[in-house]
Amino acid sequence: MKIKSLIVFLILFLFGCSNNKPKDEKLVTVQEEREYLQKYGTSLSLDEVIEIARDRNLDLRIKRLETEIASLDRKIAFGNFLPSITLGANYTKLDDPINLEMGLPSLPPTLSLLPQVGGLLSKLPKSIETKLVDESFQTVGIAAQIPIFVPSTWYLYSARKKGEDISKLAESFADKMLQLQVMSEYFYILALESERETLVNNLKSSEELERKAEVSLKVEGILDWELKKVQTLVESQKISLNKNERELKIAKMKLKRTLNLNLQEDIVLEKIETKVVELPSLEECVYNSLNGNELLKIREKGKEINTDIKKIAITNFLPKIILGGGYLNNSNSTLADPDFLFGHVSGVLSIFNGFKNVNEYKKAVRREKIGELTLEKQFMTTVLEVTRAYDNVETAQEFLNMAEKNYQAEMGRLKQKSAEKRVEMIGEEEYYKALAEYNTALSLKEKAQYQYKMAYGALSIAMGNNPLRGGK
């Protein structure tokens, strides 16, 4: 009865484990997506776009699942330290019962000569047949075993633990790279929108020039080819404006793909103000990168895993000792005691397997050396990338200062032209030209801000920090 209860319990336990699977995610409809975006208002800020990306981006969700798989691999490796319990049962049906025949010893000749004894002995059988195994029987048992000395399991668990750490670092790095990608796509959209204002004012200025040229042609002030030249300028600026609109549409679709949103839905982005932050010294940035760079940490963990693999190869030369035991119940009626417990200690030592262990060890040693060289290469690469990123930030900051001064100059010039236009000292053409130059300076300043923000974000990632604000 106890055995049957144990069987039922194990079956229910295994059934419950088999149903422990992740929840299936359904596709989000357009209406659900609109309701999801309603909490952000009519426009999206950079912080909100990054928040949506971290919540919905498919690549980042894949990285999270890979981290969960690495965690499960570690738990699987830890299971090697725990006892394994198996439950078994079998039923055997024979076509005939198995009997054992034993011959009887012959009597001495002197006894057979007696008439009374001889007649009695002649009626006795010469052999005895007894049942050895029933025609049908069943066996139920439960067994358990636990490793006592299996060193490879120790280093396997250590390697899986480091693999889990690598997955977490890779997920963190992917998250930061996603933020940098979102920033790049976000700034590119804002740059195209800023550039569109310049193109619109250039087109207005050219159209005003075209109207004057048409009037001049009527009074024979210019030739026909000169008018065509102005018309060509107008058409080229219309083409530039149309190209800008098409590029803006594609840029928004790329951002929505990164956010895992409907590509046909329009989004409105908010402009940002960029503040120049105090840049630490190059030496401090390099030091921070050597302590916080995810790629360098991943290489370090990879080197440690190769060391564990070498230790596993060494354990192949050592014996493996396993302790086991269990309980059996047999329904064979020929047994005096159908229930019995058993225990055993088993050990295995590889003496010779075609030098497989030796070659595995040699392979592990070389993999460990590859890990050391890869770590050294990544160390130098990190220093180089941080130095390059640091120089890019300085260059972007210088370019931003120049663009800011140019913007201030064009803003003053536009104020002057606006005053001149009010008193009719200049016409529409010259005013729109000044407005276009102002928008060009504004667009140049905003692009310089975006470039500076991206350069500082790349430097922050190299140091293991968040790219948006440069902090962790």
Side-chain angles (χ1 to χ4, degrees), residues 37 39-45 48-49 186 267-270:
L37 294 176
K39 62 181 180 180
Y40 297 106
T42 58
S43 60
L44 297 174
S45 65
E48 292 171 341
V49 170
Y186 188 98
I267 54 175
V268 179
L269 304 182
E270 298 177 3

Side-chain angles (χ1 to χ4, degrees), residues 145-156:
Q145 65 178 19
I146 184 171
I148 300 300
F149 183 77
V150 184
S152 60
T153 59
W154 310 337
Y155 302 117
L156 176 62

Side-chain angles (χ1 to χ4, degrees), residues 21-32:
K21 58 182 180 180
K23 181 180 179 181
D24 295 334
E25 296 185 5
K26 63 178 182 179
L27 295 176
V28 180
T29 63
V30 175
Q31 182 61 31
E32 290 173 336

Side-chain angles (χ1 to χ4, degrees), residues 223-401:
L223 299 177
D224 183 63
W225 69 267
E226 293 177 303
L227 175 61
K228 287 184 171 58
K229 196 71 174 177
V230 174
Q231 291 175 341
T232 301
L233 175 63
V234 173
E235 289 299 320
S236 66
Q237 291 180 348
K238 288 181 179 179
I239 292 174
S240 298
L241 184 59
N242 293 334
K243 180 182 177 183
N244 173 270
E245 293 177 352
R246 288 190 289 266
E247 289 179 350
L248 181 60
K249 178 182 177 181
I250 296 299
K252 287 189 175 182
M253 291 181 70
K254 287 182 177 180
L255 177 59
K256 287 181 286 187
R257 181 189 61 182
T258 303
L259 303 180
N260 192 25
L261 296 174
N262 182 14
L263 300 184
Q264 304 304 322
E265 294 290 321
D266 190 27
I267 54 175
V268 179
L269 304 182
E270 298 177 3
K271 292 184 179 294
I272 65 169
E273 289 294 331
T274 302
K275 296 181 180 180
V276 177
V277 299
E278 184 178 356
L279 192 64
S281 64
L282 176 59
E283 291 76 13
E284 184 178 352
C285 291
V286 171
Y287 176 79
N288 292 335
S289 67
L290 297 180
N291 287 278
N293 185 275
E294 278 93 352
L295 293 179
L296 189 59
K297 290 181 178 179
I298 288 174
R299 296 303 183 188
E300 291 176 352
K301 293 293 182 180
K303 174 183 173 296
E304 294 174 2
I305 289 178
N306 289 331
T307 302
D308 287 333
I309 293 176
K310 185 185 75 171
K311 292 177 180 178
I312 292 175
I314 294 176
T315 61
N316 291 330
F317 298 98
L318 302 177
K320 300 176 179 61
I321 302 175
I322 299 175
L323 175 65
Y327 166 83
L328 282 179
N329 177 272
N330 196 304
S331 66
N332 194 343
S333 61
T334 60
L335 297 177
D337 186 4
D339 304 291
F340 58 91
L341 298 172
F342 66 92
H344 64 83
V345 177
S346 60
V348 178
L349 177 63
S350 176
I351 302 300
F352 178 76
N353 60 354
F355 301 107
K356 179 181 177 181
N357 292 347
V358 176
N359 292 324
E360 286 287 349
Y361 173 74
K362 291 180 179 179
K363 175 183 174 182
V365 170
R366 283 155 179 77
R367 290 187 62 175
E368 184 182 30
K369 186 62 177 178
I370 290 176
E372 293 175 355
L373 296 176
T374 304
L375 177 60
E376 182 179 354
K377 178 181 177 182
Q378 185 62 46
F379 179 87
M380 294 185 293
T381 302
T382 301
V383 175
L384 176 61
E385 289 179 349
V386 171
T387 304
R388 182 184 301 164
Y390 190 90
D391 292 343
N392 290 338
V393 173
E394 289 186 323
T395 302
Q397 185 172 343
E398 294 170 353
F399 187 74
L400 177 59
N401 293 335

